[in-house]
Amino acid sequence: MTDALFARVRAALSGLISVAVGLAAGQLVAALRDPATSPVLAVGSAVIDRTPTPLKDWAISHFGTHDKLILLSTVVVGVFILAIVSGLIARRNVIIGAVIQVAMLAVAGYAVLDRPFARWVDLVPTVVAGIVSLLVLFVLLWLDHQPDLRRLVDRKPLQGNAIGASRRYFVVASGAGAATAVVSFVGAKQLTNSRSSVNVHIPQASERAPSLPRGLDASVPGVTPLRTPNTKFYRVDTELTVPTLDASRWSLQIDGDVENPYEISYAELLRRPLVERNITITCVSNEVGGSYAGGATWRGVLTRDLLKEARVKNPDRPDLQVMSTSFNGFTISTPLGALTDGRGAMLAVAMNGEPLPRSHGFPARLVTPGLYGMLGCTKWVTRLTVTTYADKKAYWTERGWTTDGEIKPTARIDVPKSFASVKSGRVMVGGTAWAQRRGVVRVQVSIDDGHWQDATMGPDVNIDYWRQWYFAWNTSKKGTHSVRARVVYGHDQLQTEKRAGVFPNGSSGIEERSFVVH
């Protein structure tokens, strides 16, 4: 490697390491108070808000719950490319190189302040990141070139390090900087994780949910468990990091077109009568055969009781909605009727017998049977506003999604997996089906496009909970085979075969899988 090329490599490293150390410092400071104020996360959130809906759907369908990691990685790669450019330019003109880094952090600062309810104090992590990155940049340039930085300002080319510090000092300093960045990022991660546990006592429900019976998953390997553990429950939202709200400072405000607007604290909420319900919820981004559905036992306060106390004005108006607002200003639109009828919609504070996990909405979230999560399952909710669809539009409504998203009945095949290899003889086909608000009657299976045959059904919990099913196929035919499954629901209604994507009101169609018998 020539001296000129090696000098450019050192300059690039100066820019990269300085920005990395700065961002790590900002991340660490943000973790002490609010991880969402981290410069990287703030920019990532801004990117999410401005990403076209089709691109979001593509990311979710291709990367699943890893879509946020992919997004953050893309943002970080872009930042580091600019950091390298700043180092290369700073090798000849430190002012321009520094301006590039300041401009990058100015964008991050704008993203921080652009969040709903942002305050000037939220800029502290970004300011710290900027100060640290510039200091590290100047130090590395000084070590690599010469102590007289005036020549950098004068735009005079730097000639190696003949009059500066030795290369060894630069290598040691850059290595120390890289190590500092790694340690700071890890420390910030650990600090954030340490705040993720929830230590609150949730009173028992005055109205308990029936205990779930033994499911088919105990006898049919591969079938989804009847109850989804909290740690396995799907999570799809716009947050890049799990919010760490303080229950003692949390409150729910109920306002809008009501006669009695009021506010309730977390402690007051827990003193109200709590009910339990076994409910399966589904994400509108769930493709046919997808995994974005889960069944759990939820405990909370009925929303109809909360809204009854607020006394909604003209409650029979068909255009009324409840705009639920998350802690960060994110909004979801729910038809008023879905929160006030007898379906048991609730403001949930517990999940599967445990306090609501932070990743699923602690201190409180909405759970609305029969509606996709984008319309009735707001996490980290802090406000319920009764209004009309004409007066206010929620986050997803502004992006073209439906305002009346009833979950579409579907049967999902859990086993065998696509293109799995199974032994001839007794081949077990099984899965789960749901038809919230209508109830699963039975599931039918078709092998190799043959006639539809009834599957053996698992326990029937209630009309808002999914059902397991299985079909035993005895065959000696080796080779590739296909299986389809459909749900019969309500009053012997058949699941539609019409294929539709997730936008704007959820996917539909019959799932089909191929597998090999050997």
Side-chain angles (χ1 to χ4, degrees), residues 13 15 46 51 59 95 97 103 198 218 235 240 291 313 329-330 340 356 358-359 369 374 411 451 511:
L13 284 176
T51 299
I95 297 299
V198 176
R235 179 193 165 203
L240 291 177
S291 60
K313 299 176 183 177
F330 175 85
T340 55
L356 194 64
R358 292 192 185 278
S359 59
M374 59 165 273
H451 65 281
E511 183 183 10

Side-chain angles (χ1 to χ4, degrees), residues 5 49 53 60 81 102 110-111 211 225 257 286 297 303 309 391 402 415 417 431 450 457 490:
L5 179 59
D49 289 342
T53 296
I60 292 175
I81 289 175
V102 170
Y110 173 81
S211 299
D257 294 337
N286 198 48
T297 302
T303 54
E309 183 175 333
D391 287 342
T402 183
V415 289
K417 301 295 184 183
M457 300 304 299

Side-chain angles (χ1 to χ4, degrees), residues 219-484:
S219 54
V220 184
V223 170
T224 299
L226 191 59
R227 172 185 281 130
T228 309
N230 292 355
T231 56
K232 300 292 184 180
F233 210 94
Y234 79 92
R235 179 193 165 203
V236 176
D237 52 58
T238 60
E239 293 301 308
L240 291 177
T241 185
V242 176
T244 54
L245 277 65
D246 185 349
S248 65
R249 298 181 180 180
W250 176 91
S251 65
L252 176 73
Q253 183 179 353
I254 301 179
D255 59 10
D257 294 337
V258 298
E259 297 177 1
N260 179 41
Y262 67 97
E263 190 170 351
I264 183 172
S265 69
Y266 187 71
E268 291 169 334
L269 183 68
L270 296 186
R271 286 196 291 268
R272 292 184 173 234
L274 301 181
V275 301
E276 275 188 343
R277 296 285 190 273
N278 294 314
I279 300 171
T280 293
I281 61 175
T282 311
C283 179
V284 73
S285 296
N286 198 48
E287 298 278 1
V288 172
S291 60
Y292 297 150
T297 302
W298 306 91
R299 188 188 312 169
V301 176
L302 293 175
T303 54
R304 68 183 181 191
D305 293 340
L306 294 170
L307 291 167
K308 181 180 180 180
E309 183 175 333
R311 299 198 299 274
V312 177
K313 299 176 183 177
N314 303 315
D316 295 329
R317 287 182 57 179
D319 61 340
L320 283 181
Q321 62 165 327
V322 175
M323 180 83 75
S324 52
T325 304
S326 186
F327 78 104
N328 61 355
F330 175 85
T331 54
I332 277 182
S333 171
T334 308
L336 174 65
L339 297 179
T340 55
D341 60 18
R343 73 181 64 196
M346 69 172 68
L347 185 68
V349 294
M351 180 180 182
N352 290 330
E354 300 176 358
L356 194 64
R358 292 192 185 278
S359 59
H360 292 292
F362 179 84
R365 67 172 291 169
L366 288 179
V367 176
T368 308
L371 294 182
Y372 286 115
M374 59 165 273
L375 287 175
C377 293
T378 314
K379 300 174 185 175
W380 312 289
V381 63
T382 59
R383 186 176 184 181
L384 301 178
T385 302
V386 180
T387 183
T388 64
Y389 290 102
D391 287 342
K392 292 187 178 182
K393 294 186 182 297
Y395 181 91
W396 294 117
T397 308
E398 290 179 334
R399 287 156 177 79
W401 292 83
T402 183
T403 57
D404 186 21
E406 294 186 356
I407 299 174
K408 298 178 181 179
T410 188
R412 185 180 70 194
I413 302 170
D414 294 335
V415 289
K417 301 295 184 183
S418 294
F419 305 109
S421 181
V422 299
K423 293 183 179 180
S424 60
R426 194 167 188 258
V427 178
M428 297 298 289
V429 180
T432 47
W434 53 87
Q436 289 91 326
R437 307 307 303 145
R438 286 154 286 192
V440 173
V441 176
R442 61 185 177 275
V443 170
Q444 296 179 325
V445 174
S446 170
I447 304 293
D448 295 334
D449 294 323
H451 65 281
W452 291 99
Q453 305 176 69
D454 288 343
T456 300
M457 300 304 299
D460 187 2
V461 177
N462 61 53
I463 62 171
D464 289 318
Y465 209 77
W466 56 13
R467 290 187 72 177
Q468 301 165 313
W469 58 271
Y470 77 91
F471 180 81
W473 181 45
N474 294 301
T475 183
S476 59
K477 297 180 181 179
K478 297 183 179 181
T480 302
H481 298 274
S482 66
V483 58
R484 295 187 296 159

